Amino acid sequence: MSIRDWPIKRKLTAILLLISGLVLVLTSVAFVTYEVVTFRQTIQTHLATRSRILAANSTAALAFANEADATEILAALRYDPHTVAGALYDRNGRVLATYPARAAADLIPGAPEPDGYRFEGGRLVAFTPVAQGANQRLGTLYIASDTKAVSDAIRLSGIIAIVVLAIALLAAYALAAALQGRISAPILALAETATAASTRQDYSLRAPKFGEDELGTLTDAFNQMLGRIEDQKQELQQHATRLEQRVADRTKELEHRNEALRRNAAELLAANNELDAFAYSVSHDLRAPLRSIDGFSQVLLEDYATQLGDGGRDSLQRVRAASQRMATLIDDLLKLARVTRAEMRTEPVDLSAMARDIVVDIQRAAPDRPVEFAITPGLEAQGDSRLLRVVLDNLLRNGWKYSSKRPQARVEFNALEENGERVFVVKDNGAGFDMRYADKLFGVFQRLHSAAEFEGTGVGLATVRRIIDRHGGRIWAEGVVDQGATFYFTL
Amino acid sequence: MALLKAAFTVLTSALLLVQTPRASEYQVKAVFLFNFAQFVEWPAVAAPDPQMPVIIGILGEDPLGTFLDETVRGERLGLRPFEIRRYRELTDITACNILFISRSESERVAEILAALGKRPILTVSDGDDFAKRGGMIQFVNDKNRIRLRINLEAAQAANVTISSKLLRVAEIVRTPRP
Amino acid sequence: MNAGKILLVEDNPDDVALTMRALKSHNITNDVIVAQDGVEAIDYLFGTKGRPAPTDLPAVVLLDLKLPKINGMEVLQRIRADERTRLLPVVILTSSDEERDIIDGYSLGANSYVRKPVDFVEFTKAAQQLGLYWLLMNRTPPPPRGP
């Protein structure tokens, strides 16, 4: 495992151990070095002291070349177990006496070396001047001491250092293991809480707090964050629940409405089919008896004219007229029904051209009636051309019909703009009507004039209104009795 | 390497011992005379001036030749230089710190010592029984070595203080009481 | 006047009577065979077990639409489906002027569509015109050869 991935506990312990180990090692090295240096200085000082004492004592022996005395003085060196050799040289560099008294030749240098102390060949060697008084050099004292003491001291301090190091490291490890928890425990608790919160998505968890330090602040912040997340989650859940409820409500409502619509549609379809069947049946079956009535009345008129007399003939003529009027009524009603049922095809329609066509038809049917038609050209609209033709046909024929008693009948078709809306206008100077009954104009079978005055079934304007309705437009009328009527419509 | 070095050391030491000629008797005695100055103290009256020379006198025939002169040349005791004087007669002896009495004067040692009386002069001689006869330091030849014999009483009487170190390497004798 | 027969398919006896009168009033004296429903009309044209199909086809068929048993449209379909009667002139003569009926009639191969007017004078005019046109002016294709 890389160090980067060590658990924080181990990292902390390792850091603490590393620091304390380094400090301890440096301290131990310093301690050992100090010990060694101090000890070397100490034994050097001791050697120097001893040398000076011996040198001071050997002045007379050297001055007066007394070998016995010199040997005896040097013999004192035996009390120092570390001294391995000693010698006194006279001022000419000759050996006067040695220690041990009969020393091996290799122990004693043949001639004195420069004064001073030095470690050489595992020994501490001292050459000390022997002088009486200030400037009288009498000779040289040589003492060699082994450095076993030094190495003993090094070994001892080394052992001490190692033991201390070991104990201290153990103590440091124990302390580190015990104390790292102060730092790692809150972090571990935080990590555990964070992991639990994210894996279980449980934001009601809270990390335990161990103190008021930075980790405490971190824990507080983390807990606050969890709290906020929890709140938001709850809020979201509430929103979601509310939303779901609303969706469910709406769905149910829509289902109800759809159901109702389906029912309505089915009912409408059924009604439409019924109406269809009814209209079809009317178209075929209602007219047949009328034809018989009219037909056989005519047969009577033709075959039995003389027997019938004037009264009989007149009656039969009335029967025929009534049956023919009824046929017209049926046809008009069927037209109205058809208008209601017909499928709409919206397209651009030239109303002016359409109006001219209709006028041609009208005038061809009654060429002897001088009626002035004023049609503004270029009036166009969007709509179903067949249905719009029914509208214009009805309105123009109405205008033509109701102006029949005017010597100078006039019917106009034009358009005007009202509140940004195009309003088409069909105006005549005919019989007009009383505005009090204006709302009755567009009802089925509603007539403001008697059939004797002006023939008609009272279905035409109802049909017109039906078509305008289906185009999403409006229709209304203005009139003054005997001064004409004006019909306005929008599409 | 260490062995070679040791062998070389032994060899050179042997050569040195062979080459250095054995110092003659009087050569040694000259050095001893010079060395005495360092182990002896005189009363302050003997040297009122700290730069006054230390005077080594020789009475009688001089057996030392130039040895003594060579020995003390350039040497000083503290600030005091050394000076060698040679005397013929007792009366010649004025300011003197160390007096070597030659064998030639053996007959009149008692007379000389008496004449010197309690003057603070270190008397030295290689004459027989010099110390026993009241001299302070006597050179004694012993198997090619020169030993010292000191009459401490004589020195004390003359107010000359001999260092205990010097006493250590010498034989102490007394003047026999009649 | 052409001696061709007229096949009138009409269930209403009043209409039959009026139609006959209208035709006669204009001196159209051709034989009129009346079928009172679709089945009768088909039986006449294609024959039954008891009576074989006529050797000569009518000059024109006046066909009402609303008929008992088999309606006019079906009769028309049968006429046009058979090799022998495929080119037989058929005029739909009916009360209705429903757009649907007009379109269906022509789609199935009717040669003409005439609405019976309620006004008998008008009706008579129409019958006369029909007779004149289909019996006198119209050239029928040669009858197919028998097997």
Side-chain angles (χ1 to χ4, degrees):
Chain A
M1 195 195 310
S2 129
I3 289 177
R4 194 185 295 245
D5 301 332
W6 278 10
I8 204 157
K9 270 178 159 181
R10 201 193 292 178
K11 269 183 202 159
L12 279 173
T13 311
I15 288 168
L16 289 172
L17 273 185
L18 195 70
I19 293 169
S20 51
L22 190 68
V23 169
L24 281 168
V25 166
L26 286 177
T27 312
S28 299
V29 167
F31 163 70
V32 171
T33 309
Y34 174 77
E35 279 294 298
V36 169
V37 169
T38 313
F39 193 77
R40 277 171 76 140
Q41 280 176 348
T42 306
I43 61 168
Q44 194 170 309
T45 311
H46 285 170
L47 189 64
T49 310
R50 229 165 32 238
S51 295
R52 281 196 209 102
I53 291 169
L54 277 180
N57 285 340
S58 16
T59 44
L62 272 175
F64 305 103
N66 192 315
E67 287 170 33
D69 192 49
T71 305
E72 193 188 325
I73 289 167
L74 284 181
L77 287 171
R78 70 176 175 273
Y79 298 114
D80 180 359
H82 293 300
T83 306
V84 289
L88 275 169
Y89 302 86
D90 65 15
R91 60 189 297 187
N92 297 318
R94 279 192 304 113
V95 175
L96 182 66
T98 62
Y99 168 84
R102 273 181 290 278
D106 61 334
L107 276 178
I108 312 294
E113 291 169 21
D115 294 343
Y117 311 92
R118 48 198 165 267
F119 287 90
E120 51 180 43
R123 288 179 190 165
L124 177 57
V125 174
F127 286 93
T128 316
V130 180
Q132 183 67 25
N135 46 12
Q136 188 57 46
R137 177 81 185 239
L138 294 171
T140 304
L141 172 67
Y142 162 76
I143 296 179
S145 179
D146 67 23
T147 49
K148 194 166 168 294
V150 177
S151 54
D152 281 354
I154 289 171
R155 198 173 305 128
L156 184 62
S157 53
I159 288 168
I160 290 172
I162 285 166
V163 168
V164 166
L165 193 67
I167 291 171
L169 272 179
L170 269 176
Y173 177 76
L175 269 177
L179 293 180
Q180 53 82 19
R182 301 262 171 124
I183 291 167
S184 66
I187 295 175
L188 289 181
L190 208 57
E192 202 173 300
T193 311
T195 310
S198 73
T199 50
R200 278 191 272 140
Q201 306 239 316
D202 179 359
Y203 302 110
S204 65
L205 292 173
R206 290 294 178 272
K209 194 178 168 185
F210 290 82
E212 292 296 340
D213 58 356
E214 290 87 339
L215 283 170
T217 313
L218 184 63
T219 306
D220 278 346
F222 180 72
N223 284 340
Q224 271 179 14
M225 195 178 74
L226 278 181
R228 225 164 278 161
I229 290 174
E230 193 185 12
D231 289 351
Q232 283 174 356
K233 198 182 164 196
Q234 272 179 358
E235 213 169 295
L236 270 176
Q237 261 167 355
Q238 280 171 0
H239 277 302
T241 312
R242 243 177 281 153
L243 209 62
E244 272 170 28
Q245 186 57 45
R246 210 181 291 171
V247 168
D249 289 351
R250 283 285 157 85
T251 308
K252 204 177 278 176
E253 200 178 304
L254 274 175
E255 274 169 7
H256 285 317
R257 283 191 190 173
N258 273 342
E259 186 53 39
L261 273 175
R262 261 198 298 279
R263 265 204 310 275
N264 280 353
E267 280 167 16
L268 264 176
L269 198 64
N272 233 343
N273 287 341
E274 272 171 34
L275 190 65
D276 238 14
F278 173 73
Y280 191 76
S281 161
V282 164
S283 177
H284 280 276
D285 301 342
L286 240 53
R287 295 173 81 246
L290 287 175
R291 215 164 39 243
S292 297
I293 295 169
D294 187 82
F296 291 108
S297 299
Q298 181 63 25
V299 170
L300 282 176
L301 283 171
E302 283 175 10
D303 294 0
Y304 305 98
T306 47
Q307 288 100 315
L308 282 171
D310 287 348
R313 283 198 296 275
D314 180 57
S315 295
L316 280 175
Q317 284 298 350
R318 285 175 195 270
V319 169
R320 283 196 65 206
S323 57
Q324 278 165 30
R325 204 163 53 247
M326 178 129 183
T328 312
L329 209 60
I330 289 168
D331 282 352
D332 285 354
L333 277 175
L334 284 175
K335 226 181 270 171
L336 176 63
R338 238 177 257 147
V339 159
T340 310
R341 286 180 295 141
E343 203 179 309
M344 293 246 313
R345 276 190 304 273
T346 304
E347 59 195 340
V349 180
D350 184 348
L351 294 178
S352 299
M354 195 178 267
R356 280 195 297 272
D357 261 13
I358 294 164
V359 166
V360 168
D361 271 0
I362 294 169
Q363 286 177 331
R364 191 187 293 141
D368 49 343
R369 251 202 75 194
V371 177
E372 184 191 354
F373 283 97
I375 295 165
T376 304
L379 299 179
E380 293 190 348
Q382 285 278 331
D384 185 297
S385 61
R386 287 182 318 150
L387 295 179
L388 289 179
R389 190 179 186 93
V390 173
V391 169
L392 281 183
D393 190 86
N394 268 291
L395 293 177
L396 290 170
R397 266 181 213 282
N398 273 353
W400 176 82
K401 184 164 72 181
Y402 290 104
S403 60
S404 60
K405 296 193 171 109
R406 288 279 169 274
Q408 286 190 319
R410 180 184 164 85
V411 180
E412 295 171 25
F413 175 53
N414 51 36
L416 52 90
E417 296 286 325
E418 195 178 88
N419 300 328
E421 194 180 23
R422 171 151 264 198
V423 180
F424 297 100
V425 183
V426 178
K427 185 178 180 182
D428 64 69
N429 57 352
F433 61 92
D434 188 338
M435 279 299 279
R436 276 180 298 178
Y437 310 116
D439 56 330
K440 292 191 172 172
L441 270 177
F442 299 101
V444 184
F445 303 131
Q446 293 281 347
R447 299 209 66 208
L448 298 185
H449 300 275
S450 68
E453 237 181 325
F454 296 104
E455 58 179 26
T457 55
V459 180
L461 283 178
T463 307
V464 166
R465 176 156 162 186
R466 198 91 201 83
I467 291 170
I468 298 293
D469 281 351
R470 289 199 67 185
H471 278 79
R474 292 173 294 123
I475 182 161
W476 68 97
E478 286 171 4
V480 178
V481 176
D482 288 333
Q483 285 183 25
T486 309
F487 287 85
Y488 303 90
F489 67 93
T490 64
L491 290 172
Chain B
M1 193 66 199
L3 198 69
L4 200 68
K5 195 175 171 186
F8 181 75
T9 312
V10 171
L11 196 65
T12 45
S13 313
L15 280 172
L16 276 170
L17 283 170
V18 170
Q19 280 184 341
T20 310
R22 190 122 187 105
S24 72
E25 184 189 334
Y26 280 98
Q27 217 171 350
V28 174
K29 284 177 182 167
V31 172
F32 279 21
L33 278 173
F34 164 70
N35 281 350
F36 285 146
Q38 296 162 68
F39 294 92
V40 171
E41 282 179 30
W42 291 269
V45 290
D49 180 356
Q51 294 194 358
M52 224 178 88
V54 177
I55 297 166
I56 301 176
I58 300 167
L59 184 63
E61 285 174 26
D62 182 3
L64 300 167
T66 58
F67 288 141
L68 188 57
D69 300 78
E70 284 162 12
T71 301
V72 303
R73 187 174 301 141
E75 296 285 353
R76 281 176 188 274
L77 182 65
L79 296 171
R80 302 169 69 181
F82 283 83
E83 196 181 313
I84 311 296
R85 291 188 188 171
R86 292 180 171 81
Y87 305 115
R88 290 260 152 240
E89 294 302 325
L90 258 173
T91 49
D92 293 341
I93 299 167
T94 50
C96 180
N97 298 103
I98 298 169
L99 180 64
F100 180 70
I101 302 165
S102 177
R103 275 176 178 275
S104 62
E105 307 302 311
S106 290
E107 299 302 318
R108 36 183 216 129
V109 162
E111 182 196 345
I112 292 166
L113 290 175
L116 291 174
K118 290 186 192 298
R119 284 172 71 177
I121 298 170
L122 182 75
T123 53
V124 181
S125 174
D126 52 359
D128 297 338
D129 295 330
F130 176 71
K132 281 182 183 168
R133 286 155 74 179
M136 293 180 195
I137 297 177
Q138 177 193 345
F139 293 130
V140 181
N141 280 20
D142 174 26
K143 299 174 204 164
N144 290 333
R145 290 176 202 277
I146 294 158
R147 297 279 170 237
L148 302 176
R149 194 170 285 166
I150 294 175
N151 187 330
L152 193 56
E153 287 171 346
Q156 283 171 340
N159 214 6
V160 170
T161 310
I162 297 174
S163 159
S164 62
K165 289 178 182 173
L166 179 51
L167 296 177
R168 228 182 103 94
V169 299
E171 182 191 351
I172 311 296
V173 295
R174 291 169 184 273
T175 312
R177 303 288 174 201
Chain C
M1 182 118 336
N2 189 299
K5 292 175 219 159
I6 295 169
L7 176 60
L8 176 64
V9 190
E10 174 63 72
D11 64 322
N12 187 339
D14 284 2
D15 272 1
V16 172
L18 289 172
T19 307
M20 302 285 266
R21 187 186 167 93
L23 289 172
K24 278 198 189 96
S25 71
H26 291 291
N27 297 321
I28 297 167
T29 52
N30 303 50
D31 280 352
V32 176
I33 299 140
V34 176
Q36 293 191 338
D37 58 44
V39 176
E40 263 184 44
I42 287 165
D43 283 354
Y44 172 77
L45 285 173
F46 302 110
T48 56
K49 278 173 187 167
R51 186 181 60 84
T55 49
D56 54 337
L57 286 173
V60 65
V61 178
L62 301 177
L63 181 63
D64 192 12
L65 286 181
K66 243 190 141 208
L67 296 169
K69 296 180 189 169
I70 294 178
N71 71 26
M73 290 297 177
E74 235 179 303
V75 173
L76 176 59
Q77 228 169 344
R78 296 280 287 275
I79 288 171
R80 287 291 175 254
D82 193 286
E83 186 62 30
R84 221 162 58 81
T85 56
R86 193 165 56 89
L87 300 172
L88 183 62
V90 176
V91 173
I92 295 175
L93 186 66
T94 186
S95 310
S96 146
D97 67 344
E98 286 284 317
E99 201 172 81
R100 188 173 19 141
D101 286 340
I102 297 170
I103 291 168
D104 286 353
Y106 280 114
S107 303
L108 289 174
N111 298 80
S112 189
Y113 190 106
V114 176
R115 190 190 186 207
K116 297 179 219 167
V118 168
D119 186 337
F120 187 66
V121 178
E122 296 289 319
F123 184 84
T124 310
K125 263 189 222 164
Q128 181 195 6
Q129 278 164 11
L130 273 176
L132 278 173
Y133 180 78
W134 289 107
L135 296 175
L136 294 180
M137 298 175 73
N138 190 42
R139 295 276 123 223
T140 52
R145 290 192 190 103

